Amino acid sequence: QQKVQQSPESLIVPEGGMASLNCTSSDRNVDYFWWYRQHSGKSPKMLMSIFSNGEKEEGRFTVHLNKASLHTSLHIRDSQPSDSALYLCAASAGSFNKLTFGAGTRLAVCP
Amino acid sequence: NSKVIQTPRYLVKGQGQKAKMRCIPEKGHPVVFWYQQNKNNEFKFLINFQNQEVLQQIDMTEKRFSAECPSNSPCSLEIQSSEAGDSALYLCASSRTDYAEQFFGPGTRLTVL
């Protein structure tokens, strides 16, 4: 059964700091990774997705993927209190396929 | 912003009662997913549809869960005989095509007393 492991479970960073979140899949069939953010009481909203080796940057968010190790990481620079949320990594394998979510990293950005 | 509509937002049922929730996917999104998020924030995929056809579903061995996406009507997820362990946030998501982002609705929070 596909498993997605996220670390750390929780993370506290100061306002303006860098937050780094990690995610690994154990399923060699995975071909797409997704990062979602879920604020308390809200539904998940996608931040970024990646399927090819390397790095992708959008504003303050950068995502890396190493396909050989099925490891992805999300980096948030200049963190803001509004970034405080549950960050979910999800993996999918194949077309129209379900997302398998990790347990999430709870990020707190302190002013 | 997601335009997936889910109703009701909150649902309270007694054990053994039927619970039904609905989802209207974003316009132009033929693929619909149902997920369950428990109080520990763990997600469980339940079923997905492309138009009216089931693509994948979990092994619902107890057969308490059923879902459909009829043409020109909202999709629905129904639990025939609710149990306390079914208390969770039920999230509906839709996507435009394969490998496209899944947009989530606000969810239906089910509480089984």
Side-chain angles (χ1 to χ4, degrees):
Chain A
Q1 185 178 352
Q2 185 188 147
K3 281 276 193 184
V4 175
Q5 302 287 345
Q6 288 188 249
S7 63
E9 286 186 16
S10 61
L11 183 62
I12 300 173
V13 299
E15 184 174 357
M18 171 77 84
S20 296
L21 294 69
N22 297 291
C23 172
T24 304
S25 171
S26 60
D27 183 357
R28 303 305 303 182
N29 294 315
V30 162
D31 54 8
Y32 234 102
F33 284 90
W34 312 80
W35 285 94
Y36 278 80
R37 179 164 74 180
Q38 186 176 26
H39 284 104
S40 183
K42 304 290 186 183
S43 58
K45 287 187 171 37
M46 196 197 77
L47 286 173
M48 296 183 74
S49 62
I50 191 165
F51 64 93
S52 55
N53 263 331
E55 175 182 303
K56 186 173 163 182
E57 182 178 332
E58 290 180 8
R60 298 184 293 111
F61 300 90
T62 302
V63 64
H64 294 265
L65 175 62
N66 180 324
K67 290 192 81 170
S69 60
L70 292 178
H71 178 263
T72 179
S73 57
L74 174 69
H75 306 271
I76 307 171
R77 62 176 172 82
D78 189 24
S79 297
Q80 301 298 308
S82 58
D83 293 327
S84 298
L86 180 69
Y87 286 78
L88 296 156
C89 174
S92 61
S95 178
F96 296 116
N97 215 310
K98 65 183 186 296
L99 298 177
T100 299
F101 285 88
T105 292
R106 188 161 293 284
L107 173 65
V109 180
C110 299
Chain B
N1 287 332
S2 174
K3 298 178 179 65
V4 177
I5 298 170
Q6 287 191 251
T7 56
R9 293 291 306 275
Y10 301 92
L11 195 53
V12 180
K13 295 290 178 182
Q15 294 202 44
Q17 289 187 319
K18 194 178 296 187
K20 187 168 185 175
M21 55 204 83
R22 292 176 176 81
C23 169
I24 300 175
E26 278 206 37
K27 191 174 180 180
H29 286 197
V31 189
V32 173
F33 301 78
W34 284 100
Y35 296 91
Q36 178 196 64
Q37 184 180 20
N38 68 18
K39 63 180 180 180
N40 296 321
N41 292 319
E42 295 163 336
F43 281 75
K44 180 180 180 180
F45 165 79
L46 297 176
I47 192 167
N48 61 348
F49 295 85
Q50 182 176 5
N51 298 314
Q52 293 80 52
E53 300 298 320
V54 175
L55 293 174
Q56 302 164 291
Q57 61 182 322
I58 62 167
D59 180 19
M60 300 183 192
T61 54
E62 293 183 44
K63 304 297 182 189
R64 295 187 302 109
F65 286 73
S66 62
E68 62 176 1
C69 271
S71 177
N72 298 318
S73 292
C75 298
S76 64
L77 176 68
E78 187 170 65
I79 306 172
Q80 294 299 320
S81 177
S82 302
E83 298 177 355
D86 298 330
S87 295
L89 181 68
Y90 289 84
L91 290 160
C92 175
S94 70
S95 69
R96 187 170 42 85
T97 184
D98 54 341
Y99 296 108
E101 174 187 351
Q102 292 182 27
F103 291 86
F104 284 83
T108 292
R109 185 165 296 283
L110 172 66
T111 302
V112 182
L113 302 174

